[in-house]
Amino acid sequence: MRPSGRNLSEMRAVSIETDVTKHAEGSCMIRVGDTHVLCTASLEPRVPPFLKGAGLGWVTAEYGMLPRSTSSRMRREATAGKQGGRTVEIQRLIGRSLRAGVDRVALGERQITVDCDVIQADGGTRCAAITGGWVALRLAVNKLIKAGDILSDPLVDPVAAVSCGIYAGQPVLDLDYPEDSEAGVDGNFIMTGSKQLIEVQMSAEGATYNRDQMNQLMDLAEKGVSELVSAQKAATNA
Amino acid sequence: MRPSGRNLSEMRAVSIETDVTKHAEGSCMIRVGDTHVLCTASLEPRVPPFLKGAGLGWVTAEYGMLPRSTSSRMRREATAGKQGGRTVEIQRLIGRSLRAGVDRVALGERQITVDCDVIQADGGTRCAAITGGWVALRLAVNKLIKAGDILSDPLVDPVAAVSCGIYAGQPVLDLDYPEDSEAGVDGNFIMTGSKQLIEVQMSAEGATYNRDQMNQLMDLAEKGVSELVSAQKAATNA
Amino acid sequence: MRPSGRNLSEMRAVSIETDVTKHAEGSCMIRVGDTHVLCTASLEPRVPPFLKGAGLGWVTAEYGMLPRSTSSRMRREATAGKQGGRTVEIQRLIGRSLRAGVDRVALGERQITVDCDVIQADGGTRCAAITGGWVALRLAVNKLIKAGDILSDPLVDPVAAVSCGIYAGQPVLDLDYPEDSEAGVDGNFIMTGSKQLIEVQMSAEGATYNRDQMNQLMDLAEKGVSELVSAQKAATNA
Amino acid sequence: MRPSGRNLSEMRAVSIETDVTKHAEGSCMIRVGDTHVLCTASLEPRVPPFLKGAGLGWVTAEYGMLPRSTSSRMRREATAGKQGGRTVEIQRLIGRSLRAGVDRVALGERQITVDCDVIQADGGTRCAAITGGWVALRLAVNKLIKAGDILSDPLVDPVAAVSCGIYAGQPVLDLDYPEDSEAGVDGNFIMTGSKQLIEVQMSAEGATYNRDQMNQLMDLAEKGVSELVSAQKAATNA
Amino acid sequence: MRPSGRNLSEMRAVSIETDVTKHAEGSCMIRVGDTHVLCTASLEPRVPPFLKGAGLGWVTAEYGMLPRSTSSRMRREATAGKQGGRTVEIQRLIGRSLRAGVDRVALGERQITVDCDVIQADGGTRCAAITGGWVALRLAVNKLIKAGDILSDPLVDPVAAVSCGIYAGQPVLDLDYPEDSEAGVDGNFIMTGSKQLIEVQMSAEGATYNRDQMNQLMDLAEKGVSELVSAQKAATNA
Amino acid sequence: MRPSGRNLSEMRAVSIETDVTKHAEGSCMIRVGDTHVLCTASLEPRVPPFLKGAGLGWVTAEYGMLPRSTSSRMRREATAGKQGGRTVEIQRLIGRSLRAGVDRVALGERQITVDCDVIQADGGTRCAAITGGWVALRLAVNKLIKAGDILSDPLVDPVAAVSCGIYAGQPVLDLDYPEDSEAGVDGNFIMTGSKQLIEVQMSAEGATYNRDQMNQLMDLAEKGVSELVSAQKAATNA
């Protein structure tokens, strides 16, 4: 029933390749099916002005799509003169989600910026960005720990994200683009490795859904996040 | 326990005053406690380019805050040269939520723009905007029906929104600003009058939550939306 | 002869409702006929960089129109990415006019920003903004005096503004929108309570006028400002 | 008493050099003392969208200052990313003033853009721009008449502008920069050759003025405009 | 003598991996040492307005750097609100260079946009972008030929680019970042496969050079371009 | 053969009028045929942040065209909201070229901004801007030397620029607009008075060129620069 032939609760193939760029303190290329996102974590020894002297670290994120990551070429946001509403919404979500898994006292007064750039898009780019972004963050923090710059690990539990939705009347896990563009209800679940919820966003466009369906989607999300967290752990040898 | 002395499941006082401006096709001032939002619905006989000739209507929304709607003065977005990320995110949510309750075939090729301008803010402005925005939309559509311009009612079920969150360890309904600024978990539920879900957004900042808590929050939301829908119906004589 | 049936020298009904928002140090809603402007005065304990250490206060103003304050919906300036030329011109006028009535030494090193937001427009919004803006400023300064923060009153004489013009060949006072859009000559007179002139702006579009007419318009303006100053005094119990 | 040693009612030396650039349909360099403005009139065979098919012409203006036209270097507006409020206000005034002297039916459906670029500034640039701008416009229209493209002259009466103000307690004509930066009251009078008023703008900054003073200023303005119109006529052989 | 230990006339290792993204009509990842640029060619069946109906094709280019492609993180241009001067200059160069190798009549009325996004930077990104951009263009044109959409090949001769400069007093080929940041004279040579020159840009910063040195640099450039053209041919099986 | 009737190696008439504005520390109007550029040098006693405390001076440049400097009116960049790509590229070139002739240690911690504004354009504006810009810079530095503010002359060798190109198959010197718009190959040579090269930019649009032609163009450039340097010396009495 799904265009890809997958079962309703079947994720696409996930791979996470680490240390893909030489400059970033942490980096990975995450591939969830044909969605490929390059994630880098950049460490700076300062925090934003509103946090100065507070003894707390900061994690923030930025998101972008290469112009031809999509089926037809998108206008480059730098030439349009601003980030679009969708971009801003996504990067705020990524930053908020990653921060939920960070002990900012343990991180200390430093900032890590996670850049998530979509190289190739086939649905679910923001979820891949969160999942891969956490890996980049993990690797950058590992360096700080190894160097003795921080003493207690600020990343106590992984953070991962997966999309779910109602496609052709059925709850499905990890929508690809053909599903995403048809689904009347879809959204994202961001969770920790121990299944705590960080963010739920479930939207309908020209449709509605009920609590039973919401519960089925959350069951699917838990399954998906389990698999993603395993991939994160494998990639980071954790 | 709540700063306002309310019970955990108690909404603030809600009032909806209709026809508050003489130019708009539909308008209301919604007051949810000290949060006051002016909502206007503006009708135009054309649709955006991407819908031309499709026989479908369009509903969109814009959101703004007056500079001194808040405790300390905010910079006016028109002087900053752009809408901030929060504004864009909110107005996309309002538009999406209202559209979920519209039969766009019945509306026909016309656009209604719902402007939600916060006159005074005390938490929950986006929820008040959706709830009041639907009233403005309802009144504008009533005029179209009365004039015979549309034959079947495109608004089959009201749309309303309420915030919930975990404050001081307890699930609470309809957070005001003192609660909102302290809550580690909070979000918005947008629902129809018949309790169908349109959008769930539940975020944690520096905290997480579990499925039991999620369910308690949804129970609270259903109660809140019921009361808001009653207020909408009273205001529009429906 | 006038669309509204008013005499040539007859103002529209004027009302000034004070303390309309809970956050601002001073606020009012001024209604001049169907023109409604919300004015707030926001106090900050600092002055702009060019005044630092000069021992002088600063009063500035910003102006905006809600998108549907007008007969057909205007584009929101925040989405257009900048304030239009007309907006900038008006807010510069408001600030300059209010400052002319302020003893900046007596005010001391603090800034008051007067925001004038048009809720409903029917001509003469900039004059209503100045007249109402002065009331908001008066109320904010009253608080400073009451708190003992300033010792001598920096507002020695009220500031008010009225439009005049030549409509259908006749000098008329306080143009409403139907008159304003037809008048070949119109402008604004800003004066103090003791009839001193602060600013005269009288423009022709596709027409000209002579000194006799200019004098008749100034006579009308003096009458109008008298009535506005009475309303200001009543509203502020001065 | 005046820094320049001029009498109270004495203009600076005025010269108008015509045809100073080879591309523009009309051009002049106007010099009013040390204020030098290059004015060009550019003819286009189309009108703005809001006038299409109305059988009316359009005249508009733009204003700029070269970065080092002033005593200390100003930031170039093109690098700042927008025209400042003062620029927008001035160019709107120039366009409005010139249009007041144009028979737009006689001009026919064509647009003339008058660019006024300040090469060297010493006070009164907007008045010089209007006076010189009219000369550029006159020359461009002369070409249209000569070519037989328009049959009746759309410029029936010259338009000129002069500043006046109260300096050291005395009404003075044609303020230069040292006067302008000290005067508590100053403004601009735009008039036709036959002494009809087009626009009066008289502002106070930290001061006020009375009707007697206003009348003295208008007397001065009439004298100044007479001299400017003579210079315009000499330059255009009219 | 060179930081990398290379001979004066030795290029870095060059590899060109083709068909690296599934959406673009042509794509490659070019690696010149540690400089990695992703190049995609996007085909559109329309030309820019200035070419409509002229029977000519158009090739244009855009360039970007990922924020952490560099040693320390750069600000994302989309958040800065515009492309910087360096970016604009580079993408104009890429477009101009590629067009020099295109028979625009043979291409017909279609546009190909070549996006060059730097994944990792170590000097010479614009040269890598041109060399890799030509490969992406070649692959996209191959598809058009194979599909029978164009009959004669518009790409008669490859286009490639290499940097040269004077480092520590010696002319060197293909500067990497440590050399580039120290060289007083450096620039880029864009040439065809048959050694015709397309563009020469040789700049000094705090230094100058003479014609002998210029000739030595051109000799080096010819050698470098030969090697790059071989790599282009190998990658495209030409 | 040339539209102007000039020989292949013949420059247009060059004149440099100095001290043309009263405010700038150095200024000139350079006229190369019908290309007229006003150049001013503005001295500031501070350097950009990246140079603070380094003991080095800075020279930078900005470039603009008046809207009607060209055959048909161009849009003013300040109203477009940004400098176009061509403008940015040109002003970067001017700044870089002038800096190549400056001993920044001798200049000391001060900045000179050279503004080059095109009053009338007929091809070769960037070369005229560099040549005239150097004169303005020379005059500003002369003042510093005369005032004893700097002890050793930071301008050891003049900087001048000339365009060359291949027009109708022939190498020609100093292209005017009719030639420039037809030439398939053209570019700019920036050199010192002692014939050292600072920058070579030679581009082809829809054509290519070989090394023999490149050498012929450089011969022409040397001749042109000699004549320009003579004009610079005459204008500055050097």
PDB file of all heavy atoms in Angstrom, chain C residues 25-47:
ATOM      1  N   GLU C  25       3.116  52.750  30.786  1.00  0.00           N
ATOM      2  CA  GLU C  25       3.147  53.758  31.847  1.00  0.00           C
ATOM      3  C   GLU C  25       2.050  54.803  31.635  1.00  0.00           C
ATOM      4  O   GLU C  25       1.550  55.395  32.592  1.00  0.00           O
ATOM      5  CB  GLU C  25       4.524  54.437  31.896  1.00  0.00           C
ATOM      6  CG  GLU C  25       5.578  53.594  32.596  1.00  0.00           C
ATOM      7  CD  GLU C  25       6.054  52.406  31.773  1.00  0.00           C
ATOM      8  OE1 GLU C  25       5.942  52.453  30.530  1.00  0.00           O
ATOM      9  OE2 GLU C  25       6.532  51.412  32.370  1.00  0.00           O
ATOM     10  N   GLY C  26       1.685  55.046  30.379  1.00  0.00           N
ATOM     11  CA  GLY C  26       0.553  55.920  30.080  1.00  0.00           C
ATOM     12  C   GLY C  26      -0.126  55.401  28.839  1.00  0.00           C
ATOM     13  O   GLY C  26       0.546  54.889  27.944  1.00  0.00           O
ATOM     14  N   SER C  27      -1.441  55.495  28.747  1.00  0.00           N
ATOM     15  CA  SER C  27      -2.108  55.012  27.537  1.00  0.00           C
ATOM     16  C   SER C  27      -3.476  55.649  27.399  1.00  0.00           C
ATOM     17  O   SER C  27      -4.094  56.049  28.383  1.00  0.00           O
ATOM     18  CB  SER C  27      -2.276  53.489  27.565  1.00  0.00           C
ATOM     19  OG  SER C  27      -3.221  53.103  28.531  1.00  0.00           O
ATOM     20  N   CYS C  28      -3.927  55.753  26.147  1.00  0.00           N
ATOM     21  CA  CYS C  28      -5.307  56.161  25.900  1.00  0.00           C
ATOM     22  C   CYS C  28      -5.749  55.660  24.537  1.00  0.00           C
ATOM     23  O   CYS C  28      -4.929  55.334  23.681  1.00  0.00           O
ATOM     24  CB  CYS C  28      -5.469  57.679  25.973  1.00  0.00           C
ATOM     25  SG  CYS C  28      -4.818  58.584  24.554  1.00  0.00           S
ATOM     26  N   MET C  29      -7.059  55.569  24.397  1.00  0.00           N
ATOM     27  CA  MET C  29      -7.663  55.366  23.079  1.00  0.00           C
ATOM     28  C   MET C  29      -8.344  56.684  22.748  1.00  0.00           C
ATOM     29  O   MET C  29      -9.270  57.107  23.449  1.00  0.00           O
ATOM     30  CB  MET C  29      -8.700  54.237  23.134  1.00  0.00           C
ATOM     31  CG  MET C  29      -9.425  54.007  21.825  1.00  0.00           C
ATOM     32  SD  MET C  29      -8.413  53.139  20.612  1.00  0.00           S
ATOM     33  CE  MET C  29      -8.687  51.432  21.120  1.00  0.00           C
ATOM     34  N   ILE C  30      -7.863  57.327  21.678  1.00  0.00           N
ATOM     35  CA  ILE C  30      -8.515  58.559  21.248  1.00  0.00           C
ATOM     36  C   ILE C  30      -9.409  58.242  20.058  1.00  0.00           C
ATOM     37  O   ILE C  30      -9.009  57.487  19.160  1.00  0.00           O
ATOM     38  CB  ILE C  30      -7.487  59.667  20.893  1.00  0.00           C
ATOM     39  CG1 ILE C  30      -8.227  60.956  20.517  1.00  0.00           C
ATOM     40  CG2 ILE C  30      -6.506  59.260  19.816  1.00  0.00           C
ATOM     41  CD1 ILE C  30      -7.337  62.191  20.443  1.00  0.00           C
ATOM     42  N   ARG C  31     -10.624  58.774  20.105  1.00  0.00           N
ATOM     43  CA  ARG C  31     -11.568  58.573  19.002  1.00  0.00           C
ATOM     44  C   ARG C  31     -11.982  59.944  18.489  1.00  0.00           C
ATOM     45  O   ARG C  31     -12.533  60.759  19.235  1.00  0.00           O
ATOM     46  CB  ARG C  31     -12.794  57.795  19.462  1.00  0.00           C
ATOM     47  CG  ARG C  31     -12.499  56.347  19.862  1.00  0.00           C
ATOM     48  CD  ARG C  31     -13.759  55.592  20.248  1.00  0.00           C
ATOM     49  NE  ARG C  31     -13.459  54.191  20.593  1.00  0.00           N
ATOM     50  CZ  ARG C  31     -13.070  53.776  21.806  1.00  0.00           C
ATOM     51  NH1 ARG C  31     -12.942  54.635  22.810  1.00  0.00           N
ATOM     52  NH2 ARG C  31     -12.804  52.494  22.011  1.00  0.00           N
ATOM     53  N   VAL C  32     -11.651  60.220  17.236  1.00  0.00           N
ATOM     54  CA  VAL C  32     -12.100  61.453  16.586  1.00  0.00           C
ATOM     55  C   VAL C  32     -13.015  60.971  15.472  1.00  0.00           C
ATOM     56  O   VAL C  32     -12.543  60.501  14.434  1.00  0.00           O
ATOM     57  CB  VAL C  32     -10.903  62.264  16.053  1.00  0.00           C
ATOM     58  CG1 VAL C  32     -11.385  63.540  15.366  1.00  0.00           C
ATOM     59  CG2 VAL C  32      -9.936  62.600  17.173  1.00  0.00           C
ATOM     60  N   GLY C  33     -14.309  61.019  15.710  1.00  0.00           N
ATOM     61  CA  GLY C  33     -15.256  60.377  14.804  1.00  0.00           C
ATOM     62  C   GLY C  33     -14.917  58.904  14.698  1.00  0.00           C
ATOM     63  O   GLY C  33     -14.698  58.236  15.726  1.00  0.00           O
ATOM     64  N   ASP C  34     -14.798  58.401  13.478  1.00  0.00           N
ATOM     65  CA  ASP C  34     -14.498  56.981  13.282  1.00  0.00           C
ATOM     66  C   ASP C  34     -13.006  56.690  13.223  1.00  0.00           C
ATOM     67  O   ASP C  34     -12.610  55.577  12.887  1.00  0.00           O
ATOM     68  CB  ASP C  34     -15.182  56.469  12.007  1.00  0.00           C
ATOM     69  CG  ASP C  34     -16.655  56.156  12.248  1.00  0.00           C
ATOM     70  OD1 ASP C  34     -17.035  55.948  13.422  1.00  0.00           O
ATOM     71  OD2 ASP C  34     -17.427  56.132  11.282  1.00  0.00           O
ATOM     72  N   THR C  35     -12.198  57.670  13.498  1.00  0.00           N
ATOM     73  CA  THR C  35     -10.753  57.437  13.589  1.00  0.00           C
ATOM     74  C   THR C  35     -10.385  57.101  15.033  1.00  0.00           C
ATOM     75  O   THR C  35     -10.614  57.916  15.930  1.00  0.00           O
ATOM     76  CB  THR C  35      -9.987  58.685  13.100  1.00  0.00           C
ATOM     77  OG1 THR C  35     -10.158  58.793  11.690  1.00  0.00           O
ATOM     78  CG2 THR C  35      -8.506  58.588  13.423  1.00  0.00           C
ATOM     79  N   HIS C  36      -9.859  55.905  15.224  1.00  0.00           N
ATOM     80  CA  HIS C  36      -9.544  55.419  16.572  1.00  0.00           C
ATOM     81  C   HIS C  36      -8.054  55.075  16.629  1.00  0.00           C
ATOM     82  O   HIS C  36      -7.580  54.245  15.852  1.00  0.00           O
ATOM     83  CB  HIS C  36     -10.344  54.162  16.915  1.00  0.00           C
ATOM     84  CG  HIS C  36     -11.827  54.338  16.829  1.00  0.00           C
ATOM     85  ND1 HIS C  36     -12.730  53.304  16.979  1.00  0.00           N
ATOM     86  CD2 HIS C  36     -12.602  55.437  16.604  1.00  0.00           C
ATOM     87  CE1 HIS C  36     -13.966  53.753  16.850  1.00  0.00           C
ATOM     88  NE2 HIS C  36     -13.912  55.046  16.614  1.00  0.00           N
ATOM     89  N   VAL C  37      -7.343  55.694  17.552  1.00  0.00           N
ATOM     90  CA  VAL C  37      -5.902  55.443  17.660  1.00  0.00           C
ATOM     91  C   VAL C  37      -5.559  55.089  19.102  1.00  0.00           C
ATOM     92  O   VAL C  37      -5.936  55.796  20.039  1.00  0.00           O
ATOM     93  CB  VAL C  37      -5.076  56.680  17.227  1.00  0.00           C
ATOM     94  CG1 VAL C  37      -3.580  56.383  17.280  1.00  0.00           C
ATOM     95  CG2 VAL C  37      -5.468  57.130  15.832  1.00  0.00           C
ATOM     96  N   LEU C  38      -4.853  53.962  19.260  1.00  0.00           N
ATOM     97  CA  LEU C  38      -4.384  53.537  20.571  1.00  0.00           C
ATOM     98  C   LEU C  38      -2.990  54.121  20.792  1.00  0.00           C
ATOM     99  O   LEU C  38      -2.088  53.884  19.991  1.00  0.00           O
ATOM    100  CB  LEU C  38      -4.326  52.007  20.624  1.00  0.00           C
ATOM    101  CG  LEU C  38      -3.824  51.372  21.914  1.00  0.00           C
ATOM    102  CD1 LEU C  38      -4.730  51.698  23.094  1.00  0.00           C
ATOM    103  CD2 LEU C  38      -3.736  49.851  21.754  1.00  0.00           C
ATOM    104  N   CYS C  39      -2.847  54.918  21.858  1.00  0.00           N
ATOM    105  CA  CYS C  39      -1.566  55.561  22.135  1.00  0.00           C
ATOM    106  C   CYS C  39      -1.019  55.045  23.458  1.00  0.00           C
ATOM    107  O   CYS C  39      -1.723  55.040  24.463  1.00  0.00           O
ATOM    108  CB  CYS C  39      -1.748  57.078  22.242  1.00  0.00           C
ATOM    109  SG  CYS C  39      -2.507  57.824  20.789  1.00  0.00           S
ATOM    110  N   THR C  40       0.243  54.616  23.436  1.00  0.00           N
ATOM    111  CA  THR C  40       0.882  54.185  24.683  1.00  0.00           C
ATOM    112  C   THR C  40       2.202  54.922  24.851  1.00  0.00           C
ATOM    113  O   THR C  40       2.892  55.209  23.873  1.00  0.00           O
ATOM    114  CB  THR C  40       1.179  52.666  24.686  1.00  0.00           C
ATOM    115  OG1 THR C  40       2.047  52.375  23.588  1.00  0.00           O
ATOM    116  CG2 THR C  40      -0.081  51.842  24.575  1.00  0.00           C
ATOM    117  N   ALA C  41       2.525  55.221  26.087  1.00  0.00           N
ATOM    118  CA  ALA C  41       3.813  55.846  26.391  1.00  0.00           C
ATOM    119  C   ALA C  41       4.621  54.865  27.215  1.00  0.00           C
ATOM    120  O   ALA C  41       4.164  54.388  28.252  1.00  0.00           O
ATOM    121  CB  ALA C  41       3.599  57.140  27.165  1.00  0.00           C
ATOM    122  N   SER C  42       5.824  54.543  26.714  1.00  0.00           N
ATOM    123  CA  SER C  42       6.698  53.573  27.382  1.00  0.00           C
ATOM    124  C   SER C  42       7.942  54.285  27.894  1.00  0.00           C
ATOM    125  O   SER C  42       8.653  54.930  27.127  1.00  0.00           O
ATOM    126  CB  SER C  42       7.128  52.468  26.410  1.00  0.00           C
ATOM    127  OG  SER C  42       6.012  51.720  25.987  1.00  0.00           O
ATOM    128  N   LEU C  43       8.189  54.125  29.158  1.00  0.00           N
ATOM    129  CA  LEU C  43       9.306  54.801  29.808  1.00  0.00           C
ATOM    130  C   LEU C  43      10.519  53.887  29.878  1.00  0.00           C
ATOM    131  O   LEU C  43      10.398  52.718  30.253  1.00  0.00           O
ATOM    132  CB  LEU C  43       8.870  55.172  31.224  1.00  0.00           C
ATOM    133  CG  LEU C  43       9.899  55.824  32.131  1.00  0.00           C
ATOM    134  CD1 LEU C  43      10.224  57.232  31.664  1.00  0.00           C
ATOM    135  CD2 LEU C  43       9.361  55.851  33.570  1.00  0.00           C
ATOM    136  N   GLU C  44      11.672  54.417  29.524  1.00  0.00           N
ATOM    137  CA  GLU C  44      12.915  53.660  29.690  1.00  0.00           C
ATOM    138  C   GLU C  44      13.928  54.544  30.405  1.00  0.00           C
ATOM    139  O   GLU C  44      14.012  55.738  30.134  1.00  0.00           O
ATOM    140  CB  GLU C  44      13.480  53.249  28.326  1.00  0.00           C
ATOM    141  CG  GLU C  44      12.705  52.134  27.665  1.00  0.00           C
ATOM    142  CD  GLU C  44      13.108  51.990  26.200  1.00  0.00           C
ATOM    143  OE1 GLU C  44      12.912  52.967  25.442  1.00  0.00           O
ATOM    144  OE2 GLU C  44      13.617  50.932  25.833  1.00  0.00           O
ATOM    145  N   PRO C  45      14.734  53.948  31.266  1.00  0.00           N
ATOM    146  CA  PRO C  45      15.657  54.746  32.070  1.00  0.00           C
ATOM    147  C   PRO C  45      16.946  55.120  31.339  1.00  0.00           C
ATOM    148  O   PRO C  45      17.943  55.410  31.964  1.00  0.00           O
ATOM    149  CB  PRO C  45      15.953  53.820  33.244  1.00  0.00           C
ATOM    150  CG  PRO C  45      15.820  52.445  32.680  1.00  0.00           C
ATOM    151  CD  PRO C  45      14.765  52.522  31.619  1.00  0.00           C
ATOM    152  N   ARG C  46      16.922  55.090  30.021  1.00  0.00           N
ATOM    153  CA  ARG C  46      18.142  55.395  29.264  1.00  0.00           C
ATOM    154  C   ARG C  46      17.779  56.307  28.085  1.00  0.00           C
ATOM    155  O   ARG C  46      16.629  56.330  27.642  1.00  0.00           O
ATOM    156  CB  ARG C  46      18.787  54.113  28.740  1.00  0.00           C
ATOM    157  CG  ARG C  46      17.819  53.239  27.982  1.00  0.00           C
ATOM    158  CD  ARG C  46      18.432  52.109  27.205  1.00  0.00           C
ATOM    159  NE  ARG C  46      17.391  51.530  26.349  1.00  0.00           N
ATOM    160  CZ  ARG C  46      16.991  52.062  25.204  1.00  0.00           C
ATOM    161  NH1 ARG C  46      17.518  53.170  24.758  1.00  0.00           N
ATOM    162  NH2 ARG C  46      16.021  51.489  24.486  1.00  0.00           N
ATOM    163  N   VAL C  47      18.763  57.000  27.575  1.00  0.00           N
ATOM    164  CA  VAL C  47      18.541  57.845  26.391  1.00  0.00           C
ATOM    165  C   VAL C  47      19.339  57.286  25.217  1.00  0.00           C
ATOM    166  O   VAL C  47      20.232  56.457  25.411  1.00  0.00           O
ATOM    167  CB  VAL C  47      18.967  59.311  26.668  1.00  0.00           C
ATOM    168  CG1 VAL C  47      17.964  60.012  27.562  1.00  0.00           C
ATOM    169  CG2 VAL C  47      20.371  59.361  27.246  1.00  0.00           C
TER     170      VAL C  47
END
